[in-house]
Amino acid sequence: MDVVSSLWEQVSATSPPLPLWLLVLTAALAAALVLSPTLWQRARHSVTIAHEGAHGLAALVTGRRLAGIRLHSDTSGVTVSAGRPTGPGMVLTAAAGYTGPALFGLGAAALLAAGFAIGLLWALLLLLALLLVQIRNWYGLWSVLVTGTLVFAATWWLPAVGQSAFAAGVTWFLLLAAPKTVLELQAKRRSGTARDSDADQLARLTGLPGIVWVAVFLLVDGGALLLGGWWLLRDTAPL
């Protein structure tokens, strides 16, 4: 019980706000990961984890049975769930992929704004552990384990300020990366290489054109970026 109590005290501990310069630095580093073609090729795997995890979470919440998740080396992924092939549950599951990373980022921004940077890192570890048991291929297993190891290292070894800065960097990355993946999706749709994308699946499910769903994705992701960014910058510490 002492161990559990000690762990809970650590997870629920609040951290002081980061100074503005450090928060801006974490945003700049996250933007570099998103905007640099070389860095993006590697960093995008993390977005795929969030994307497929969001599909899986939406499937479970809507009562579908999650059959497994696969992550591939080309940054693509597949989430398989069983249930009705049409209806609200299937629509929400399909729509969760391109909005999930932004909504995860928005939730992370809310936790950071409330001072729960350490709690956020432990929440990420828990979500990755839950995702791990649903992975059905070796590359996916490797990808989630590497990501989890990085988050665990930050949680276990960084000082308090370092943990807050790392948590802020992850949050900025999710918020900034989500809209870029939607733009990439539309570029592939225009070139005819994404005929079975989430947007096109939603078009078949709802009758609304795929471009409408792309716009919905961008609206959600852009709104999350603006709101999450405001939450992060609202209560920064003095320089």
Side-chain angles (χ1 to χ4, degrees):
M1 290 298 295
D2 289 340
V3 174
V4 173
S5 234
S6 176
L7 180 60
W8 175 249
E9 286 180 7
Q10 181 182 357
V11 170
S12 60
T14 56
S15 306
L18 289 173
L20 180 60
W21 71 267
L22 186 51
L23 196 58
V24 171
L25 178 61
T26 61
L29 292 174
L33 289 175
V34 173
L35 297 176
S36 166
T38 302
L39 296 175
W40 177 242
Q41 288 179 356
R42 297 184 179 276
R44 200 187 189 289
H45 290 285
S46 300
V47 189
T48 302
I49 290 174
H51 178 112
E52 300 303 332
H55 277 313
L57 181 61
L60 292 174
V61 168
T62 57
R64 299 179 63 81
R65 183 173 61 83
L66 188 58
I69 296 173
R70 292 176 177 269
L71 306 173
H72 304 135
S73 58
D74 63 354
T75 74
S76 66
V78 176
T79 298
V80 179
S81 63
R84 287 185 57 193
T86 59
M90 189 62 199
V91 170
L92 289 173
T93 298
Y98 281 98
T99 56
L103 295 177
F104 286 146
L106 185 61
L111 286 174
L112 280 179
F116 296 112
I118 298 173
L120 169 57
L121 295 179
W122 281 100
L124 289 175
L125 283 174
L126 176 61
L127 290 173
L128 287 169
L130 293 174
L131 177 65
L132 192 63
V133 301
Q134 295 294 336
I135 296 296
R136 296 294 182 267
N137 67 326
W138 286 110
Y139 187 84
L141 183 67
W142 167 256
S143 184
V144 174
L145 282 174
V146 168
T147 304
T149 300
L150 181 62
V151 176
F152 177 79
T155 305
W156 200 255
W157 284 297
L158 286 179
V161 174
Q163 290 176 341
S164 296
F166 182 84
V170 170
T171 303
W172 281 119
F173 176 73
L174 289 171
L175 292 172
L176 291 167
K180 178 166 183 176
T181 61
V182 179
L183 296 176
E184 290 178 340
L185 164 67
Q186 183 56 20
K188 289 180 180 179
R189 292 183 72 250
R190 290 183 63 183
S191 66
T193 58
R195 297 185 184 277
D196 200 35
S197 70
D198 291 355
D200 295 289
Q201 291 181 41
L202 285 163
R204 292 192 290 271
L205 287 167
T206 64
L208 295 174
I211 189 62
V212 171
W213 285 104
V214 172
V216 170
F217 297 160
L218 275 178
L219 182 63
V220 172
D221 292 356
L225 173 58
L226 292 175
L227 182 56
W230 180 66
W231 284 346
L232 288 173
L233 296 170
R234 180 181 53 186
D235 297 318
T236 54
L239 292 174

